[in-house]
Amino acid sequence: GSNNMKVAVIGGGNASHTLAALFPHNGFETYWLATYEDEAERIKAGMASQGGVIQATFAHQLTPSGLIEGKPVVVSKDPAEVIPFCDVIVMPLPSFSYFDVFTAMKPYLKDNAFICVTPGQGGVDWVAKQVFGTDMLKAKNITIFSTLPMPFNCRITEFGKHVGVQAFKPSYMVGTYPLEKSAEAVAVNVKLFGHGKSIGRVLCVTMLPSNPVLHPQRLYRLCKDWAPGKTLPENPLFYEQMDHESTDLMEIVSKELLAIASKLTELGCDVEVPFVKAYLDFVYPGHESVDTCELFRSEEGFKGFRCPFVELEGGGFEPNFKNRYFTEDIPLGLCVFKGLAD
């Protein structure tokens, strides 16, 4: 059957937990590589305590829905126990990790492998060429593709044991290196996630108005009057309490991205980028008649998520600058857009 491809899941984050349950559930032989600190050991211990499986609970409106279980054949910290066996390597990772992860897997990549990176922004193709070199990528016939949106909105409830999934996206935009492998990359994405549409080169995905156009703008709106030593009175719901001041900022940045894309195209590098509302309508269909703010407030997939704030002992909150909304979406999102513009 089509599910005889062997799949690696890289990392110990929210999405990796979900994939480690979903892929085996869907019949893929799944290998889980967690190289960070003692994550692999903690995952193994968690799974061992519940019959060797990882569990995911999908919200009622999703397919699958309810509780599913998956049993990866290997959970390891060592790339040598995972990478040589896998036809497809799925990396739901922040951009700052690309260099180290590629370096760790470089000696073990099998010929004709596909590397699927999600969200795959922050110049993943540039990092791949830097680490692997174009000669090796060509000689081993490696395909790298970015897929957006990230498949899930999800949060780990118990590390190594269980993850809750609020959204599983129905549609994906795929950007491929090398470009002539686009059709094959889309076919792999369809096997993994049920859908795929090529939008050209990886840069087209890098420039999609996703997290870097959404998260920092909302945070700026909520934190602009905060300063060290001050406290924020509450930790609001990130999406359900959305306001027009936040979405106006998103739309301003999105328009700037459109201008960068049209200049790149004029200079001979074809890039087509949708406006933020059109992108959100692609990812979360059914809100075409309302504005961006109302889409965030009413979409099921956005329910229940708080802001990346930490509660202080004496009451109140302050921003958690270690959260990926800060560490990822600004330096490896907005700064990439500014770099392209410059």
Side-chain angles (χ1 to χ4, degrees):
S2 64
N3 288 5
N4 55 9
M5 64 184 192
K6 295 180 177 157
V7 183
V9 174
I10 314 295
N14 297 308
S16 299
H17 274 64
T18 307
L19 293 171
L22 183 67
F23 286 158
H25 173 82
N26 286 346
F28 294 111
E29 190 173 304
T30 305
Y31 296 70
W32 193 354
L33 176 67
T35 55
Y36 186 70
E37 291 180 352
D38 61 345
E39 282 186 342
E41 287 310 312
R42 288 166 57 210
I43 290 165
K44 278 194 259 196
M47 287 170 51
S49 73
Q50 54 185 25
V53 296
I54 190 88
Q55 296 183 326
T57 300
F58 283 71
H60 66 91
Q61 78 273 13
L62 304 177
T63 307
S65 68
L67 182 70
I68 66 161
E69 296 184 334
K71 200 167 197 169
V73 292
V74 170
V75 177
S76 179
K77 185 187 173 76
D78 181 1
E81 295 181 355
V82 172
I83 303 299
F85 306 102
C86 293
D87 308 300
V88 179
I89 295 157
V90 183
M91 294 173 45
L93 298 175
S95 309
F96 69 76
S97 67
Y98 297 157
F99 187 91
D100 291 344
V101 171
F102 285 156
T103 302
M105 68 169 71
K106 183 176 178 178
Y108 307 109
L109 273 178
K110 68 189 278 191
D111 290 0
N112 311 312
F114 287 82
I115 301 175
C116 165
V117 189
T118 182
Q121 297 187 288
V124 63
D125 49 333
W126 304 329
V127 182
K129 287 179 215 172
Q130 181 189 355
V131 173
F132 299 128
T134 47
D135 292 349
M136 173 183 161
L137 292 169
K138 199 172 267 159
K140 293 183 81 72
N141 190 32
I142 306 292
T143 306
I144 293 157
F145 66 96
S146 291
T147 187
L148 253 182
M150 284 202 78
F152 317 105
N153 298 352
C154 57
R155 289 286 182 274
I156 293 167
T157 49
E158 231 184 319
F159 192 87
K161 292 185 177 183
H162 182 270
V163 59
V165 186
Q166 189 58 32
F168 182 10
K169 321 291 169 52
S171 311
Y172 300 88
M173 298 185 184
V174 175
T176 311
Y177 175 85
L179 199 50
E180 61 269 17
K181 300 288 279 297
S182 296
E184 290 173 59
V186 165
V188 170
N189 205 74
V190 170
K191 281 185 191 174
L192 295 174
F193 303 119
H195 177 273
K197 169 191 163 192
S198 173
I199 60 165
R201 58 183 87 229
V202 173
L203 184 61
C204 298
V205 173
T206 299
M207 292 183 67
L208 283 175
S210 76
N211 293 350
V213 174
L214 311 177
H215 295 155
Q217 295 66 15
R218 174 78 169 132
L219 288 170
Y220 174 77
R221 153 77 181 90
L222 294 169
C223 302
K224 65 180 192 289
D225 299 325
W226 179 85
K230 283 191 175 178
T231 59
L232 298 159
E234 56 167 358
N235 184 353
L237 288 156
F238 197 84
Y239 299 107
E240 291 159 83
Q241 293 173 269
M242 188 63 71
D243 56 26
H244 282 101
E245 196 181 335
S246 303
T247 54
D248 287 351
L249 291 167
M250 296 173 192
E251 292 180 354
I252 291 166
V253 176
S254 185
K255 283 181 182 140
E256 291 178 347
L257 259 185
L258 294 180
I260 298 168
S262 65
K263 187 69 186 175
L264 281 168
T265 301
E266 192 186 308
L267 295 170
C269 176
D270 285 353
V271 188
E272 205 178 317
V273 176
F275 186 58
V276 60
K277 179 60 165 63
Y279 172 73
L280 289 166
D281 285 334
F282 174 85
V283 179
Y284 301 101
H287 306 279
E288 289 76 8
S289 61
V290 299
D291 68 8
T292 309
C293 183
E294 186 51 40
L295 178 146
F296 283 124
R297 285 171 158 264
S298 57
E299 163 59 41
E300 280 288 327
F302 286 133
K303 298 273 185 260
F305 296 99
R306 297 267 165 198
C307 299
F309 297 165
V310 282
E311 193 162 358
L312 300 166
E313 278 180 17
F317 296 85
E318 68 178 20
N320 173 14
F321 291 112
K322 292 192 171 110
N323 181 277
R324 69 187 165 89
Y325 286 17
F326 292 104
T327 60
E328 167 79 1
D329 298 336
I330 298 171
L332 294 149
L334 290 178
C335 294
V336 175
F337 301 158
K338 185 179 184 306
L340 287 164
D342 294 343

